Amino acid sequence: MKLTHMLVFVALFGGGACQYTYGYFNWLSRIMGYSRSYSNRYFETELEPPLPTDCPAECTCPRIFPKAMYCDTRRFKYIPKVPARMKYVYLQNNQIDGVPEGVFDNATHLVWVVLHGNKISNEKIGTDVFSKLTNLERVYLDHNNLSTIPFPLPKSLRELRVAGNMISKVPPNALEGLDNLTMLLLNDNQLEDIGGSLKVLKSLSFLDLSNNHLKKLPDALPNSLHQLYLDFNHISVIPNEYFKQFPKLQYARMSNNELTDNGIPLNTFNVSSLIELDLSHNKLQKIPPVNENLENLYLHANKIKEFTVDSFCKTMGWMSFSKIQVIRLDGNSIRQDNIPPEMHQCLRRARIINI
């Protein structure tokens, strides 16, 4: 047997293996956050401080993430005491029904609070339980039993997830002062009308209102929007020049609504910032005109009968053509023999054309 092979064999299976197995895999134990105490000096080191003992016994606080506490998926009905050093608390997928006042008072530097997949109701959320956390950036409360957005929330908040609840309205003052909020997920609720309650969110970039009961578009939204999702609602009309108020908007999804040709003014989607537009699963009979900068257009599962080139190109030439890369028109009534030959000149950048 070669010397190198023998050394490996002895290290793994030698007579002293039982005594030193933990030492050999000590690196793995440190990564996983586990700790064992031994009186033998073999395991002592001055470079690695002892693991703090303030972590709740029912949770896990890995050594490599000393400011994170994992208490998820453990059938908890309560929130355990959070050590003062923590910044990230994971409590998702439990049976917690409330967030009582003072539960986070010991950990005022929390940055993330993850509580999705529980049974939390508004009646059991302390009045100032979140507003006291002045460094809080993300709150995940999706898939609980909320009937409205918790209030008040700290001004430091950047991301709020309350999808999959029973929220039917957003009071005008519910989001006041959240000037740093960039992402809001309100999808899968029972909203019928948003009104202008979201206008106060000056930095909002991502808004998901999909799968609600909206019959009209929100009256006013922040002009900072970059992504807007309104699919799976009951919207039939888009106000004239509605999307012109969002100079940064790049992604708009309105699939699975009740849009008709009469409900879409002529230049509704002639917005130079738009990159992706989804109007699939509606009741359109014509291709609405879009801006030449648009790259992805989804119109499948409508009632469109004709391919109109001027919906993409007002004029055609060497320097005048559409930037469309992907267009889906399948599930309509367009016949292949009715496709005009100039389509390929107009859509010369297209990689995928499904008809």
Side-chain angles (χ1 to χ4, degrees), residues 18-71:
C18 293
Q19 182 179 358
Y20 299 118
T21 298
Y22 179 76
Y24 186 81
F25 293 106
N26 196 31
W27 62 274
L28 180 59
S29 299
R30 288 198 298 271
I31 289 177
M32 297 302 294
Y34 301 128
S35 175
R36 293 174 60 181
S37 59
Y38 291 85
S39 59
N40 195 318
R41 287 183 303 171
Y42 183 86
F43 303 108
E44 293 178 359
T45 173
E46 295 180 359
L47 299 177
E48 188 174 280
L51 194 66
T53 59
D54 56 355
C55 184
E58 59 268 51
C59 300
T60 302
C61 306
R63 187 189 295 274
I64 59 168
F65 302 120
K67 296 182 180 180
M69 186 173 87
Y70 296 88
C71 310

Side-chain angles (χ1 to χ4, degrees), residues 30-261:
R30 288 198 298 271
I31 289 177
M32 297 302 294
Y34 301 128
S35 175
R36 293 174 60 181
S37 59
Y38 291 85
S39 59
N40 195 318
R41 287 183 303 171
Y42 183 86
F43 303 108
E44 293 178 359
T45 173
E46 295 180 359
L47 299 177
E48 188 174 280
L51 194 66
T53 59
D54 56 355
C55 184
E58 59 268 51
C59 300
T60 302
C61 306
R63 187 189 295 274
I64 59 168
F65 302 120
K67 296 182 180 180
M69 186 173 87
Y70 296 88
C71 310
D72 54 300
T73 319
R74 308 189 188 208
R75 298 182 180 178
F76 282 175
K77 295 184 178 180
Y78 64 94
I79 297 177
K81 184 178 180 180
V82 182
R85 62 188 170 98
M86 294 302 170
K87 287 189 175 182
Y88 311 95
V89 177
Y90 300 90
L91 293 153
Q92 70 270 26
N93 301 325
N94 282 294
Q95 298 176 13
I96 299 168
D97 64 357
V99 188
E101 196 71 56
V103 71
F104 297 130
D105 282 1
N106 190 47
T108 56
H109 297 291
L110 282 174
V111 177
W112 288 20
V113 174
V114 182
L115 281 161
H116 64 263
N118 279 285
K119 300 179 179 180
I120 299 169
S121 61
N122 290 89
E123 294 75 18
K124 293 189 177 182
I125 297 179
T127 303
D128 297 314
V129 68
F130 292 119
S131 61
K132 291 179 181 178
L133 305 175
T134 56
N135 295 312
L136 193 62
E137 294 183 0
R138 289 176 171 84
V139 174
Y140 295 177
L141 284 164
D142 32 327
H143 299 287
N144 277 281
N145 296 327
L146 300 178
S147 57
T148 187
I149 296 175
F151 176 83
L153 293 168
K155 295 181 180 180
S156 56
L157 206 61
R158 295 181 178 273
E159 183 177 338
L160 175 60
R161 301 188 180 216
V162 286
N165 281 281
M166 299 178 291
I167 299 172
S168 59
K169 62 179 180 179
V170 181
N173 63 339
L175 300 168
E176 282 185 356
L178 301 184
D179 293 345
N180 295 308
L181 194 71
T182 60
M183 180 177 289
L184 176 59
L185 277 70
L186 271 164
N187 53 294
D188 296 276
N189 277 287
Q190 299 175 12
L191 293 166
E192 294 184 3
D193 187 4
I194 288 290
S197 57
L198 306 184
K199 180 67 174 179
V200 297
L201 302 174
K202 300 177 181 179
S203 301
L204 193 65
S205 174
F206 182 105
L207 175 61
D208 193 344
L209 292 168
S210 61
N211 204 19
N212 276 283
H213 305 305
L214 297 175
K215 294 182 180 180
K216 66 173 187 175
L217 290 168
D219 293 335
L221 292 173
N223 59 14
S224 56
L225 277 178
H226 179 263
Q227 300 181 56
L228 176 60
Y229 301 108
L230 290 156
D231 33 322
F232 291 95
N233 279 287
H234 305 290
I235 300 168
S236 59
V237 176
I238 300 176
N240 191 35
E241 298 189 344
Y242 183 82
F243 291 102
K244 294 285 180 69
Q245 62 182 309
F246 313 122
K248 299 178 181 179
L249 187 66
Q250 291 190 319
Y251 301 89
R253 294 183 182 174
M254 296 191 67
S255 68
N256 293 276
N257 275 280
E258 299 175 11
L259 292 170
T260 64
D261 297 332

Side-chain angles (χ1 to χ4, degrees), residues 276-311:
E276 180 173 298
L277 176 62
D278 188 351
L279 297 171
S280 62
H281 295 274
N282 278 284
K283 301 176 181 179
L284 302 179
Q285 296 182 6
K286 298 179 181 179
I287 300 174
V290 296
N291 192 272
E292 293 179 351
N293 288 329
L294 192 71
E295 295 181 5
N296 303 301
L297 177 61
Y298 305 103
L299 286 164
H300 50 285
N302 275 279
K303 299 179 179 180
I304 301 171
K305 298 180 180 180
E306 181 183 3
F307 190 102
T308 49
V309 175
D310 57 357
S311 293

Side-chain angles (χ1 to χ4, degrees), residues 297-345:
L297 177 61
Y298 305 103
L299 286 164
H300 50 285
N302 275 279
K303 299 179 179 180
I304 301 171
K305 298 180 180 180
E306 181 183 3
F307 190 102
T308 49
V309 175
D310 57 357
S311 293
F312 306 95
C313 298
K314 303 297 182 293
T315 59
M316 282 182 288
W318 290 108
M319 300 299 293
S320 179
F321 53 88
S322 171
K323 294 181 181 178
I324 286 283
Q325 296 185 24
V326 176
I327 178 170
R328 285 195 58 183
L329 283 161
D330 47 305
N332 284 284
S333 301
I334 301 175
R335 293 172 51 184
Q336 291 285 345
D337 55 356
N338 287 338
I339 297 175
E342 60 267 26
M343 178 192 76
H344 296 289
Q345 182 181 355

